[in-house]
Amino acid sequence: MERPVSRFIILFCAVILIFSTVSISLGAGSEKININTATAEQLAELKGIGPVYAKRIVEYRKANDPFKKPEDIMKVKGIGPKILAANIDIITVE
């Protein structure tokens, strides 16, 4: 019969292993996407942005000045607060 402390240690180690694996996999793709220079294909990888919105972003950039801040992406037709909130941590204008 195992002692309760041994079970706790095994469970604790398993939880630590799972969290470390998840954090490593999340950190691997955490490069920011510059919405002023990204291609339509790169922009389409953003949450809630498919090929249509990505094309609109590129067209907006060409017709107007570059975005001054990430929030300016909402000037593009169809992109609102929900899409901005889903991507705010991974988009940049620098």
Side-chain angles (χ1 to χ4, degrees):
M1 184 186 247
E2 286 187 56
R3 296 172 49 195
V5 173
S6 297
R7 286 185 185 176
F8 174 77
I9 291 172
I10 291 170
L11 180 61
F12 180 76
C13 290
V15 169
I16 295 296
L17 180 63
I18 290 169
F19 279 121
S20 64
T21 303
V22 168
S23 66
I24 289 170
S25 65
L26 290 176
S30 65
E31 289 186 31
K32 294 204 175 221
I33 295 178
N34 185 328
I35 58 175
N36 284 326
T37 60
T39 65
E41 292 78 20
Q42 292 168 323
L43 292 166
E45 295 176 14
L46 294 169
K47 297 172 189 163
I49 304 287
V52 173
Y53 287 159
K55 184 178 176 186
R56 286 183 190 171
I57 294 169
V58 171
E59 289 172 354
Y60 182 91
R61 267 190 339 222
K62 289 178 182 176
N64 302 282
D65 292 330
F67 298 106
K68 290 183 173 90
K69 56 188 180 196
E71 293 81 1
D72 288 345
I73 197 170
M74 291 192 301
K75 294 178 180 179
V76 177
K77 182 181 177 187
I79 299 178
K82 287 183 182 180
I83 292 176
L84 174 65
N87 294 292
I88 193 69
D89 293 333
I90 57 175
I91 61 175
T92 186
V93 293
E94 299 174 353

